[in-house]
Amino acid sequence: MRGQISIFDGTEQSLLNKNIKLIQEFERSALMRNPLGYVVGYSGGKDSDVLVSLFIRAGVKFCIVHNHTTLDMPETVYYIKRKFAKWEQQGIPCKIYYPNTNFWSLCLQKKMLPQRQFRFCCAMLKEAQIPELKQSVRSFGVRKAESKKRLLLRDSIETRNREDYSDQQRFHFDDTEQVKEIGACYTNNYFIVNPLAYWSDDYLWDYIESEKIEINPLYHCGFSRIGCIGCPMAGVEGRIKEFERYPKFKNRFIKLCNDITQLRNIQTTNKKSFKSGTEYFEWWINNGKSINAEEYNLFSFGEEV
């Protein structure tokens, strides 16, 4: 991380203060696009709680939104509702958006479960653009330290005009004046501010402890990642742990696998299909590394029939 100074020193050069200044720099742009100010995305995870803390400290106008995926862990659902009620009492507008379809129906439409390389559920349920907020200045708790992909493709300031990201521009948090000069914060269709982009895991946890930030209770139950139940990004061990904690969801997944398998067996001539929903589920939860997985092509099984 470039020039990181302890969050306890209180100097103007600390990463914390620079990121608060970043938020303040683009408040005018946020208000021009939306009278509510910034639109802060909230997932119920630790990064989201730290992000909201920074916006409160920055003293800017903002609202908080959450996209309900229909696969959120029950504790997370209750936690978000409680936090939203608390923030609304403080005068911060909060809203939960519900999708037009649920995860189960979406998988039946695709005739498959999501995979690491094809997470269609994220685009439809988690990242879908909300029409009434499309032109707003958005902010998310993404961090480069979270993955190689985010290290390469995410930054403190992101802007583009095209939905397919083909013209995306990325900037470091010290480049706010350059961004203002090109007018991207006022004219581009998409403008995103990510104050936590350069925060390391240690820096984040130090801030949580020093500021006594309340976080999702699932972190105290041994979970290091708070997301959708069964998400392929949680890894094999992570998903097994989730299904042990939520057996009703495991049964629902197996039923979905049965429905998908029957549907594909009826509509395809592919002989390399799964014999049962349980077989498909076991293959899926192990990322295709079991039950003679060499017979099954990860992507061909996901093709529309």
Side-chain angles (χ1 to χ4, degrees):
M1 187 181 304
R2 155 184 346 194
Q4 177 176 320
I5 301 176
S6 170
I7 62 177
F8 305 107
D9 64 12
T11 69
E12 289 299 320
Q13 296 303 311
S14 71
L15 182 63
L16 171 64
N17 287 333
K18 281 194 171 188
N19 292 155
I20 289 175
K21 184 179 178 182
L22 168 67
I23 296 171
Q24 295 168 339
E25 287 283 344
F26 293 107
E27 182 186 20
R28 181 182 176 187
S29 304
L31 288 169
M32 287 180 64
R33 290 169 175 256
N34 187 328
L36 292 175
Y38 280 98
V39 175
V40 176
Y42 186 80
S43 68
K46 64 185 187 303
D47 301 274
S48 293
D49 280 311
V50 170
L51 182 65
V52 172
S53 170
L54 262 60
F55 269 86
I56 293 175
R57 294 181 71 150
V60 300
K61 194 171 183 179
F62 69 101
C63 65
I64 309 173
V65 301
H66 168 71
N67 284 349
H68 181 75
T69 67
T70 70
L71 270 185
D72 300 284
M73 298 179 185
E75 293 89 343
T76 299
V77 174
Y78 299 136
Y79 179 71
I80 291 173
K81 289 182 177 179
R82 181 169 61 80
K83 292 298 289 282
F84 275 24
K86 173 185 175 182
W87 286 324
E88 285 186 325
Q89 288 181 350
Q90 297 174 1
I92 303 171
C94 300
K95 186 171 182 179
I96 298 175
Y97 287 88
Y98 296 90
N100 294 325
T101 186
N102 60 37
F103 174 80
W104 319 106
S105 298
L106 183 60
C107 289
L108 283 176
Q109 292 171 18
K110 296 290 184 180
K111 305 181 186 71
M112 64 178 295
L113 295 182
Q115 299 157 352
R116 291 181 69 93
Q117 297 91 341
F118 188 39
R119 299 192 307 278
F120 55 84
C121 47
C122 287
M124 295 293 294
L125 304 176
K126 187 176 180 180
E127 300 165 359
Q129 290 293 327
I130 302 167
E132 65 182 284
L133 304 176
K134 189 171 183 180
Q135 294 298 321
S136 303
V137 176
R138 307 294 297 271
S139 185
F140 301 99
V142 297
R143 295 185 295 115
K144 285 175 168 287
E146 292 179 289
S147 68
K148 291 181 179 179
K149 186 175 181 179
R150 289 191 171 182
L151 176 65
L152 295 173
L153 301 179
R154 307 307 300 263
D155 218 316
S156 302
I157 305 167
E158 302 170 4
T159 183
R160 69 186 196 278
N161 280 308
R162 298 176 183 173
E163 191 171 349
D164 64 1
Y165 291 81
S166 60
D167 64 338
Q168 185 187 45
Q169 294 176 285
R170 297 184 294 274
F171 302 88
H172 185 266
F173 56 76
D174 284 334
D175 298 328
T176 55
E177 292 304 319
Q178 177 187 348
V179 176
K180 289 180 181 179
E181 287 176 6
I182 65 176
C185 52
Y186 300 108
T187 60
N188 285 8
N189 291 332
Y190 300 91
F191 192 83
I192 301 170
V193 176
N194 301 317
L196 305 183
Y198 286 85
W199 286 42
S200 67
D201 292 341
D202 289 343
Y203 197 88
L204 186 84
W205 282 111
D206 284 346
Y207 180 81
I208 290 171
E209 289 186 20
S210 69
E211 302 305 308
K212 296 180 173 57
I213 304 295
E214 181 187 13
I215 57 175
N216 193 311
L218 285 170
Y219 288 112
H220 304 299
C221 298
F223 284 87
S224 59
R225 180 183 182 279
I226 307 299
C228 296
I229 297 173
C231 177
M233 299 307 292
V236 176
E237 291 184 5
R239 288 197 282 178
I240 290 175
K241 180 179 179 179
E242 290 169 3
F243 286 126
E244 287 177 349
R245 185 178 181 90
Y246 307 107
K248 290 183 178 180
F249 274 89
K250 178 179 180 179
N251 294 336
R252 184 66 181 85
F253 264 92
I254 292 176
K255 181 182 183 304
L256 175 63
C257 287
N258 273 316
D259 294 340
I260 292 172
T261 302
Q262 291 177 14
L263 185 63
R264 293 187 65 86
N265 286 341
I266 292 172
Q267 298 184 3
T268 182
T269 57
N270 180 9
K271 295 181 180 179
K272 295 178 180 179
S273 185
F274 294 99
K275 297 177 182 177
S276 68
T278 300
E279 186 181 57
Y280 178 22
F281 177 80
E282 292 297 333
W283 176 87
W284 173 75
I285 200 173
N286 286 284
N287 292 329
K289 296 179 180 178
S290 63
I291 57 167
N292 299 320
E294 68 276 3
E295 295 184 7
Y296 304 100
N297 183 289
L298 191 65
F299 294 103
S300 66
F301 187 75
E303 291 175 355
E304 294 290 346
V305 295

